[in-house]
Amino acid sequence: MNTLLVEEKPDRVVVRLHRPEARNAIDAEMVGDLHAVCGLLERDPRPLLLTGGDGVFAAGADIGELLRRGREQALQGINSTVFERIRRLPMPTVAAVDGHALGGGAELAYACDIRLASTRARFGNPEPHLGIIAGAGACWRLRELVGEPLAKLVLLAGHTIEAPEALASRLVAALHEPGELETAAHRLIDRMTEVSPAALRLTKLVLDAPPSAHPVADHLAQAVLFEDSDKEARMRKFLDRKRKDTT
């Protein structure tokens, strides 16, 4: 891949946005590469760690490409389609955001399940300054993540969410110094890999289900897990350890 650096591990996949000459601006080639990563993770589900470069996550979509796009390309949802595919990946996704996450870069981070950020992270959606909307998810995902007042401040008034406000608004789960960010992200994924992969996958599925799907979705997921041999092994191990602790 020309726009991503991909490291496959048995228990996770690490993807680094890699267009340093363009501050990791998201172009059509990167969209294609992200689709390829999604295909990999749909075939072989593992947690995803998505990050950028030193001091920049992604500075937005490629403006040169956006300038050449017209109505038909807008209706295709080129960026929003891959971001939604990332959102629907079967296992958790973690974005480690260092520096600028603007425009499409911010929308890519919004699509991940959990965001960690460095102390110099900045989130913003300045698309109206370019005569367009934040059309790849920000107009509805950001409201879900931080609430309507802050979302409108960002989308209508060009407000930039600096790292402390990102933490206070729960847009990000934690802040770390830039040199410690990726280590912290790996520690978070380490905790995910300690649990049952099937339970992790089904928990994400139930969490993302629409309200009308509950409690049926919960019951069906639990029914699948109750018949899983991993559930029996983990529960027996827990009970054996508890018996040893009491003797």
Side-chain angles (χ1 to χ4, degrees):
M1 296 183 185
N2 293 323
T3 70
L4 305 176
L5 300 178
V6 179
E7 182 182 3
E8 285 194 63
K9 298 186 177 185
D11 61 353
R12 73 198 66 184
V13 172
V14 182
V15 172
R16 187 180 306 278
L17 308 180
H18 188 63
R19 293 189 71 214
E21 75 287 351
R23 302 181 71 226
N24 292 339
I26 300 168
D27 65 353
E29 185 175 16
M30 184 181 285
V31 168
D33 288 345
L34 287 169
H35 273 298
V37 168
C38 289
L40 168 70
L41 291 171
E42 288 160 355
R43 292 188 300 272
D44 183 7
R46 283 164 285 174
L48 168 67
L49 171 55
L50 182 64
T51 188
D54 183 23
V56 61
F57 180 73
D62 189 296
I63 304 304
E65 285 193 355
L66 291 182
L67 178 62
R68 296 189 294 273
R69 291 180 186 174
R71 175 180 57 198
E72 293 305 316
Q73 289 74 34
L75 291 173
Q76 291 170 22
I78 294 170
N79 288 5
S80 65
T81 298
V82 74
F83 295 169
E84 180 63 14
R85 193 174 179 187
I86 289 169
R87 176 64 178 169
R88 293 180 180 275
L89 284 172
M91 295 290 267
T93 56
V94 177
V97 178
D98 181 25
H100 290 82
L102 302 175
E107 291 176 304
L108 175 57
Y110 302 158
C112 291
D113 293 310
I114 299 172
R115 286 154 297 283
L116 302 181
S118 76
T119 53
R120 60 186 177 184
R122 305 177 81 237
F123 298 85
N125 290 97
E127 285 89 344
H129 286 285
L130 299 171
I132 58 176
I133 70 166
C139 283
W140 50 280
R141 279 203 180 98
L142 187 59
R143 183 183 61 211
E144 293 176 354
L145 292 169
V146 303
E148 184 174 314
L150 181 54
K152 286 188 172 180
L153 195 61
V154 171
L155 294 164
L156 301 180
H159 177 70
T160 298
I161 303 177
E162 305 282 351
E165 187 177 24
L167 180 62
S169 66
R170 306 308 295 166
L171 177 60
V172 303
L175 294 181
H176 301 275
E177 292 302 320
E180 301 169 0
L181 177 61
E182 288 190 36
T183 299
H186 278 290
R187 284 199 303 265
L188 177 61
I189 292 179
D190 288 342
R191 288 158 55 188
M192 295 176 181
T193 61
E194 293 174 355
V195 306
S196 158
L200 188 66
R201 181 172 180 174
L202 286 172
T203 297
K204 175 174 176 176
L205 187 66
V206 173
L207 268 169
D208 288 343
S212 60
H214 303 290
V216 174
D218 309 57
H219 299 166
L220 290 174
Q222 197 75 298
V224 171
L225 293 170
F226 271 18
E227 298 297 323
D228 191 350
S229 60
D230 188 41
K231 165 254 190 181
E232 182 174 352
R234 287 173 177 269
M235 288 190 175
R236 288 191 182 280
K237 184 177 179 180
F238 173 84
L239 292 172
D240 289 344
R241 186 171 62 247
K242 187 175 181 180
R243 278 194 292 268
K244 289 177 182 177
D245 289 342
T246 57
T247 57

